[in-house]
Amino acid sequence: MPGREQRDRDRIPLAPPAAAADAPGRVNLIGEHTDYNGGYVLPLALPLRTRVEIRRRPDGMVRAWTANVAAARTAGGGRRGAVAEYRLGGETPGRGWLDYVQGVTDALGRQGFALSGCEVRIESTVPAGAGLSSSAALEVALLRGCRSAFGLAIDDLGIARLAQQAENQFVGAPVGIMDPIAVSLGDEGHALFLDTRNLAFERVALPAAVELAVIDSGIAHRHAGGEYAARRGECERAARLLGVGQLRELEPADLPRLGRLPPPLDRRARHVVGENARVLAAVRALRDGDAERLGALLDEAHRSLSEDFSVSLPEIDLLVGLARADPAVYGARLTGGGFGGAIVLAARPGTARDAACRVVAAYRRRGGRAATVVVPPG
């Protein structure tokens, strides 16, 4: 006799969907907390994906089912296999994982796109809370599915903007534009060099001398939490005190000016100015195939995130330190918004997974949590 989970699953018909779509997670190679400051970022897409299937309904009801815990926890809660529903136009925040679905239909409705009711199935291999854009992957996949199912005239950049709107205005997470653009426009073979001030971008190939690995620390973070918003507010206050619209307008030559700021605003601004310069240097290192320089930049970026921006944790610092000590690793850093999440490391070709596994084993021996190598996949 089928269990409750199977009965819930059976409530979403398995007939061919009107549309199927997916979207990748992303890792940010370098350029952290610069996007909402109008700066530079350098993310790339991951082989981890979120997939949705959409079937239209004749009424105005949306019924959604998430296949796994990873998708449910994207919004900080929800029971695996549970079906949730709401009426279009009646979106209400505070419903856990469903908020990301509601946020998408709310954003589409506010922009005047015509929708009918629908049934949505969601599956994901992007780990939630790891700083790998699980929420953006879900939103972009849903928007791609809606574009196909309802014949909506939205280009890929428009999808990224709507995903950010859903997250900012409905979910309540003050994220920048990097995540949805990286998920909507990125690919696995290239880093997406993005100027978040004007949204100009260029794809930069990863050199053969570098292989990336990503380790999920097992410590979940949430963009909707207060610390992320606090850092954004500190950057905005620093910009006002310095008389600029955004910290992006400052160059390394302006670093002496930062001494006029009260702490911790001086350190927050110093991170942003230095990180923008590091992104530009990392792009040159990729183009030159200079793996050692890229690794050194990752190390510098982590020190800045930990010491100046204060978004790391002792466990994350330990993971990064263990990665740096591995002879196959050029450099490593926290990736994502911080306060948990994942680290990214650059290693010699053909060694990334083995090196990451050594780091995870050493982390466990040092009393760390159950970290997981998520890229390269095993």
Side-chain angles (χ1 to χ4, degrees), residues 322-335:
L322 292 169
R324 288 174 178 163
D326 191 285
V329 174
Y330 296 117
R333 74 171 191 93
L334 166 69
T335 186

Side-chain angles (χ1 to χ4, degrees), residues 28-31 39-43 190-195 200-207 210 275-291 293-295 297-298:
N28 192 23
L29 185 57
I30 197 166
Y40 302 110
V41 294
L42 195 64
H190 298 79
L192 192 73
F193 175 36
L194 172 67
D195 182 340
F201 67 90
E202 177 185 353
R203 292 181 173 89
V204 182
L206 293 179
V210 174
E275 189 78 344
N276 278 322
R278 283 186 287 271
V279 173
L280 298 177
V283 170
R284 291 192 294 271
L286 290 180
R287 289 172 176 158
D288 295 342
D290 190 344
R293 177 60 177 150
L294 177 65
L297 290 165
L298 297 184

